[in-house]
Amino acid sequence: MAHPTAPPLGKDLLGLEGLTREQITSILDTAETFKEISERPVKKVPVLRTKTIVNAFFENSTRTRVSFEFAEKRLSADTVNISTAGSSVAKGETLVDTARNLEAMRIDMVVIRHHASGSAQFLAERIASSVINAGDGKHEHPTQGLLDLMTIRQYRGALQGLRVCICGDVLHSRVARSNIHGLRTMGAEVGVCGPRTLLPPHVEELGVTVFRRIEEAIEWADVLNVLRLQLERMKGGFIPSLREYNRVFGVTRARVEAAPRDLLILHPGPMNRGVEIDSNVADGPQSVILEQVTNGVAVRMAVLYLLAGGEPGQAEAAKGGSA
Ligand code: CP
């Protein structure tokens, strides 16, 4: 299944924009190979035994932070976690000074989440270690995009020609940007649907179809990726009220049941239940939200392995034994 002809990823993974179809396929195939490690009684192989990785999360996270840590531990890397609270960032130390001090302790990779768009690239240009973007502001969240692609491919067989609609707060969403780049590169058709205030200006220039009504989006789509309303990034005035948003744009059971085909429902989490998605959809038979989370560990294992110089075609052999 692995894809030995894909060009190497290089030093860093900063976004899905610019990755080729072969590179994305290679990551997804490698993730498929690594996925079964998490099903073993002993969930540990010696693939990254010599590597030291810092998880630097300067913004809140549950799924991404824990998923990277599991991926690293299951591949036997040594890991350290830092966040703003409890580190010298809280005393005003700069991002680059923090990273250079960590490098002085001989690390191999930094996984960074940061509120500033472009922070992962800024860091990658200034340190020798590999940098993995775990979400930078409104820019990109490449491993989330990859796990979404992996999950859609798992349930629908191929991405080519599929219609995927990204619904909700596209304006503030790094997940939307990574999905748009990744899905279009893989040959999917991409739509976006949300109130005008929550769609970026000129979003059509990203090659997506814009839907103003959720009913039209659902009629068109094979897959819905429902985004969280990022209330913490809204200073007010984007929507009249949460109840109104749910009434007009919410992914409800009645709307999903009116779809002309069997929809697949994704959500990157964390969810605002009863706002962008109703509980009976989030927990219903078309939802693959928890499978996304499971696939997240496998995708992050694949990215860590490939950035550490692992060959896509050698992943099966590399994971062979237990640690
Ligand atoms: N999907 C996602 O990024 O979730 P967290 O913010 O919990 O990491």
Side-chain angles (χ1 to χ4, degrees):
M1 183 182 275
H3 221 267
T5 57
L9 289 181
K11 178 172 93 68
D12 312 299
L13 179 67
L14 305 177
L16 297 192
E17 185 176 14
L19 291 195
T20 65
R21 187 184 286 222
E22 290 70 27
Q23 286 173 316
I24 292 175
T25 303
S26 159
I27 298 169
L28 301 186
D29 289 351
T30 304
E32 297 285 358
T33 304
F34 283 140
K35 188 173 173 180
E36 65 82 19
I37 294 168
S38 296
E39 306 305 323
R40 296 180 185 181
V42 180
K43 300 171 178 53
K44 215 169 179 69
V45 294
V47 171
L48 293 182
R49 198 163 43 191
T50 58
K51 302 297 179 190
T52 301
I53 303 173
V54 176
N55 300 309
F57 278 69
F58 301 114
E59 199 184 59
N60 294 342
S61 169
T62 298
R63 277 147 290 271
T64 312
R65 183 176 55 79
V66 175
S67 180
F68 265 111
E69 200 172 341
F70 276 140
E72 292 153 4
K73 288 186 185 328
R74 288 175 193 179
L75 296 183
S76 303
D78 290 322
T79 67
V80 175
N81 300 321
I82 64 167
S83 58
T84 306
S87 76
S88 290
V89 174
K91 300 179 196 167
E93 186 168 57
T94 67
L95 178 60
V96 171
D97 277 341
T98 299
R100 285 187 179 146
N101 278 272
L102 295 168
E103 279 204 306
M105 297 182 230
R106 306 290 179 255
I107 63 169
D108 299 290
M109 293 189 200
V110 177
V111 177
I112 179 168
R113 169 166 290 194
H114 200 282
H115 58 83
S117 302
S119 50
Q121 174 155 2
F122 180 82
L123 191 62
E125 288 168 356
R126 286 162 179 82
I127 64 173
S129 307
S130 290
V131 174
I132 302 177
N133 181 3
D136 63 329
K138 297 189 279 183
H139 173 231
E140 280 226 38
H141 190 349
T143 56
Q144 178 69 46
L146 289 164
L147 74 88
D148 292 344
L149 267 53
M150 181 179 178
T151 307
I152 298 169
R153 195 176 78 158
Q154 176 182 329
Y155 284 91
R156 291 293 180 261
L159 296 160
Q160 175 73 42
L162 269 186
R163 290 176 162 186
V164 182
C165 191
I166 302 167
C167 304
D169 185 359
V170 179
L171 179 69
H172 298 104
S173 178
R174 52 201 177 205
V175 175
R177 276 162 196 73
S178 290
N179 265 265
I180 291 169
H181 293 306
L183 286 164
R184 292 196 68 241
T185 300
M186 297 304 287
E189 289 182 57
V190 184
V192 295
C193 177
R196 197 178 292 268
T197 50
L198 291 179
L199 296 180
H202 314 299
V203 67
E204 302 84 355
E205 290 170 12
L206 294 174
V208 299
T209 305
V210 177
F211 295 95
R212 298 289 177 200
R213 295 183 65 244
I214 189 71
E215 291 83 0
E216 287 171 11
I218 286 175
E219 196 176 328
W220 174 84
D222 300 301
V223 180
L224 295 187
N225 198 346
V226 187
L227 301 176
R228 182 173 73 90
L229 280 193
Q230 298 195 32
L231 301 170
E232 75 280 14
R233 295 190 207 274
M234 296 186 196
K235 297 275 188 285
F238 287 92
I239 52 170
S241 70
L242 298 183
R243 181 191 288 227
E244 180 74 356
Y245 182 86
N246 180 259
R247 193 180 66 75
V248 180
F249 285 100
V251 178
T252 62
R253 166 85 68 86
R255 287 182 171 136
V256 169
E257 283 179 353
R261 55 191 79 79
D262 186 25
L263 277 177
L264 195 67
I265 309 279
L266 290 85
H267 192 305
M271 289 183 275
N272 296 306
R273 288 173 179 265
V275 181
E276 70 267 3
I277 190 166
D278 282 1
S279 277
N280 52 21
V281 175
D283 303 327
Q286 288 147 304
S287 166
V288 291
I289 292 170
L290 292 179
E291 190 63 18
Q292 287 174 264
V293 178
T294 300
N295 286 339
V297 178
V299 153
R300 288 164 181 131
M301 283 181 178
V303 168
L304 293 163
Y305 167 76
L306 295 170
L307 288 182
E311 290 288 335
Q314 296 299 313
E316 189 66 46
K319 69 170 189 177
S322 319

